[in-house]
Amino acid sequence: MNGRRKFVNAGATGIATALLGGCAAAAREPEAAQKTVFPVPRTVVPVQGSAELFPVRRIYCIGRNYAAHAREMGSDPTREPPFFFQKPTDAIQYVPAGTVADHPYPSLTKNYHYEAELVAVLGAGGRDIPVDKALDLVWGYAVGLDMTRRDLQRGMGDQKKPWEIGKSFDRSAPIGPVHRVASTGHFKEGAIWLKVNGATKQSADLRQMIWSVAEQISNLSAAFELMPGDIIYSGTPENVGPVVKGDVIEMHIDGLPNLSIKIT
Ligand code: MN
């Protein structure tokens, strides 16, 4: 109970973590009643309209999943199979609906980019999931931002080194509340847009995804065993771009509340 209260307070400042004496942690510990030497927060995201918290296990992200965005990143969308990267679970920054969360401009970059994305969250897992069964794994959806230190991402890519410093840093995954698929249905089409200081920057439709959420789940499950709590950032449309301190980002997907952050 106290853990939850701590979380709610922390949520206002933007970190969606809670100290839960949860079963997932216990399952990884020896059966004897041993305690860890200190508590480590688990990442959770509140479920809209309930007191429930969705526990985040892994964050997967697909790259270049809208053709016009793939082209603006310098690749040919017609010949590229899907590819994925991960962010660490504690990169989540929970942003309650109807609030504008402070989001610190990160270190090291001079070209900090937004990427507006639909996030699918999984309530079940498996391996080698066929596309026509894949949506059965989806528990809900959220809006999310795949924040990117573009200069570092590009620099590492140019050197054929891992992207992590550009993609997988602290607070690089702002997310809104989770909405149960039972109440929203699946998101196969609908407007997705992002504004900076009220000016539209990204504007597209979810149906323009190259690989649908179902296809992403199927592809991921061939490479990794998916588990409940895994979440998937499903890619961003074209016209990604930079923000600076003081900017306010607002993003929207039809059927979900908007997500807003202020770069501080
Ligand atoms: Mn992205």
Side-chain angles (χ1 to χ4, degrees), residues 61-64 69 85 87 115-117 145-148 150 167 233-236:
C61 308
I62 190 170
R64 298 174 201 149
H69 173 61
F85 58 94
K87 291 175 185 264
E115 295 189 358
E117 309 202 2
L145 290 166
D146 168 15
M147 297 303 292
T148 302
R150 190 73 69 199
K167 282 290 194 182
Y233 280 62
S234 62
T236 197

Side-chain angles (χ1 to χ4, degrees), residues 4 7-8 16 44-54 94-96 139 175-179:
R4 176 159 166 73
F7 158 75
V8 170
V44 296
V45 178
V47 177
Q48 184 75 25
S50 85
E52 290 183 300
L53 301 171
F54 184 90
Y94 171 60
V95 182
W139 195 91
I175 193 169
V178 169
H179 291 250

Side-chain angles (χ1 to χ4, degrees), residues 64 67-77 80 154:
R64 298 174 201 149
H69 173 61
R71 282 192 287 272
E72 79 181 347
M73 301 313 293
S75 65
D76 176 355
E80 191 172 59
R154 287 208 178 108

Side-chain angles (χ1 to χ4, degrees), residues 109-243:
T109 184
K110 291 186 169 60
N111 194 18
Y112 191 40
H113 278 207
Y114 47 77
E115 295 189 358
E117 309 202 2
L118 173 70
V119 184
V121 310
L122 305 189
R127 297 177 206 226
D128 299 320
I129 309 292
V131 172
D132 64 357
K133 296 277 192 295
L135 290 182
D136 294 347
L137 273 53
V138 176
W139 195 91
Y141 291 92
V143 290
L145 290 166
D146 168 15
M147 297 303 292
T148 302
R149 298 194 279 207
R150 190 73 69 199
D151 43 357
L152 301 184
Q153 180 200 20
R154 287 208 178 108
M156 296 302 270
D158 290 347
Q159 299 175 66
K160 295 187 162 44
K161 288 176 179 172
W163 268 3
E164 273 169 295
I165 199 168
K167 282 290 194 182
S168 306
F169 51 92
D170 302 340
R171 296 184 185 83
S172 59
I175 193 169
V178 169
H179 291 250
R180 297 166 174 275
V181 70
S183 61
T184 64
H186 290 286
F187 288 74
K188 297 177 179 174
E189 59 182 14
I192 176 171
W193 55 249
L194 179 145
K195 296 178 181 180
V196 177
N197 303 329
T200 299
K201 300 293 186 180
Q202 295 188 281
S203 182
D205 193 286
L206 296 174
R207 73 164 74 90
Q208 295 171 292
M209 285 185 192
I210 297 171
W211 301 94
S212 67
V213 169
E215 290 169 325
Q216 292 177 53
I217 290 168
S218 181
N219 267 277
L220 269 172
S221 73
F224 307 97
E225 180 176 4
L226 296 175
M227 300 285 279
D230 290 346
I231 73 174
I232 304 169
Y233 280 62
S234 62
T236 197
E238 67 277 19
N239 297 322
V240 299
V243 285

